[in-house]
Amino acid sequence: MSGPYVIRGSVSLPEAELMWRFSRSGGPGGQHVNTSDSQVELRFDLANTEALPTVWKDRALERLAARLVDGVVSVRSSEHRSQWRNRETAAVRLAALLAEATAPPPKPRRATRIPRGINERRLREKKQRSDTKRGRTGRDW
């Protein structure tokens, strides 16, 4: 692996809590694909991890509830012919998934009013445009 996969800030995926499983994958590769276990499934026990702050963990458990099986999130990768590259891809995907799931909620939008001058200018321009178009009709002939 190419080092710790940072979720956000100083929080990263702990290598000891990652569970790897390898299997044969379909797709390109010829005879090689029949003999090597290049597909990678990466599992991370989100419910029992101590690596994430409790606020992040609760947020991630809530947002990823549909993806979790007994509190475990899994990511699968089989795009590449090499197991090594599939491991890298799966770990990066898991880190990105957790970063998105633990992100703080967006700030609520403050309701603002359109300034009166802007609204009046819009209506004035709209009326000018309609007068221009009305002037193009040939009723006066």
Side-chain angles (χ1 to χ4, degrees), residues 14-132:
E15 189 67 38
E17 293 186 22
L18 299 178
M19 296 168 279
W20 299 93
R21 200 168 89 191
F22 308 103
S23 60
R24 293 187 181 139
S25 65
Q31 294 173 340
H32 172 73
V33 82
N34 299 327
T35 59
S36 65
D37 294 338
S38 59
Q39 179 174 330
V40 173
E41 182 181 357
L42 175 58
R43 297 165 53 88
F44 181 67
D45 192 355
L46 186 60
N48 298 323
T49 186
E50 297 297 325
L52 298 177
T54 53
V55 176
W56 287 18
K57 190 160 100 173
D58 295 340
R59 202 180 290 155
L61 285 170
E62 180 184 324
R63 290 183 182 167
L64 297 175
R67 266 190 91 140
L68 297 177
V69 177
D70 297 329
V72 177
V73 64
S74 68
V75 175
R76 195 173 275 175
S77 175
S78 64
E79 291 94 48
H80 306 289
R81 288 175 61 174
S82 142
Q83 185 188 96
W84 184 259
R85 288 180 65 193
N86 281 332
R87 284 176 63 122
E88 293 287 319
T89 304
V92 167
R93 248 193 234 156
L94 180 64
L97 181 70
L98 290 175
E100 188 178 328
T102 59
K107 291 182 181 177
R109 183 187 176 279
R110 272 187 26 208
T112 57
R113 286 184 56 205
I114 298 172
R116 195 159 123 210
I118 290 176
N119 203 26
E120 287 175 357
R121 184 176 70 215
R122 180 183 65 85
L123 293 173
R124 187 171 55 248
E125 289 171 358
K126 199 171 171 181
K127 184 153 180 60
Q128 285 174 352
R129 185 75 179 146
S130 86
D131 289 344
T132 302

